[in-house]
Amino acid sequence: MRPSFTAGDRSSRLRRVVPLACLALLTACGTTSQTARLDTPAETSPTAAPRSTPSDVPTSTAEVDVERDGLDPAVVTGVRYATHDGYDRVVIDLKGDIPGYKVKWVDEFLEDGSGEPMGVHAGAYLQLTLFPANAHDDDGRPTWKGGPVYPAHLKNVSDVVRTGDFEGRVGIGLALARKAGFRVKEQSAPSRLVLDVAH
């Protein structure tokens, strides 16, 4: 015996069955959605560089002072800079052993030797001094050409400044948009000093 339905029962039952059938169909087929942000480039291959995690970003603002005695002066052959996820990187290329160095916050950049203000405007000033080191060869020719102000236009580092090459000391200033954490790393083969500053 078949049950009997009124028109109202049939439309009520259809209203319950149709949405369930659509849900089952969508679940079986699967749905995907993809969004992209213009400021976050997609990684397109397994060889793409990994993104920085919060632990990769420098956080310390403490002064760094490393002394090395008995070395021949290193020669600064160039300075490179680039933006990475979470920090800006400045690389000082060296010929010879990595010398001693000091990194500290200053109120402004002063020219080594004369002590005169260099007139570089920034939100914060981070000064790196290498010793013993030169930025010239035995004939007095510069090995780090150009400057003394090198526009960087990075996220935090606006300019790299050669503050001096005087009496076995080379000064390199980072003009920053704001004071932020930094770290110094030594690398060899070839010798270089790496200074990372958070955005």
Side-chain angles (χ1 to χ4, degrees):
M1 179 172 144
R2 292 188 341 187
S4 61
F5 297 101
T6 66
D9 289 339
R10 190 169 293 138
S11 72
S12 173
R13 191 170 285 225
L14 280 174
R15 278 193 299 252
R16 285 184 294 205
V17 171
V18 169
L20 289 174
C22 289
L23 181 60
L25 182 61
L26 286 173
T27 303
C29 294
T31 59
T32 60
S33 93
Q34 184 174 359
T35 58
R37 291 175 39 189
L38 293 176
D39 60 345
T40 307
E43 293 181 9
T44 57
S45 72
T47 59
R51 295 190 186 283
S52 295
T53 61
S55 63
D56 292 331
V57 178
T59 57
S60 175
T61 57
E63 183 176 296
V64 175
D65 194 357
V66 174
E67 291 195 26
R68 295 209 166 95
D69 296 324
L71 296 177
D72 288 332
V75 176
V76 176
T77 60
V79 176
R80 300 173 283 135
Y81 32 85
T83 293
H84 294 265
D85 285 344
Y87 60 89
D88 292 337
R89 172 165 285 176
V90 177
V91 179
I92 298 94
D93 293 317
L94 301 164
K95 181 178 177 184
D97 294 325
I98 295 175
Y101 52 90
K102 186 171 194 170
V103 185
K104 66 178 184 175
W105 297 101
V106 294
D107 294 330
E108 63 181 331
F109 296 137
L110 303 176
E111 190 172 355
D112 289 348
S114 72
E116 292 295 319
M118 296 190 70
V120 176
H121 301 287
Y125 302 88
L126 190 59
Q127 177 71 50
L128 165 66
T129 305
L130 301 167
F131 52 89
N134 295 314
H136 61 271
D137 64 18
D138 292 338
D139 296 322
R141 291 182 298 243
T143 54
W144 176 21
K145 301 183 188 312
V149 178
Y150 305 83
H153 305 296
L154 305 180
K155 289 192 175 179
N156 195 1
V157 178
S158 57
D159 296 298
V160 175
V161 182
R162 187 179 60 240
T163 60
D165 176 16
F166 184 71
E167 294 184 344
R169 300 171 92 77
V170 174
I172 301 168
L174 304 187
L176 307 175
R178 66 177 185 86
K179 187 173 182 176
F182 70 89
R183 66 175 164 238
V184 184
K185 295 190 282 190
E186 299 179 12
Q187 297 182 340
S188 58
S191 296
R192 55 207 185 278
L193 198 64
V194 177
L195 183 53
D196 294 335
V197 183
H199 293 158

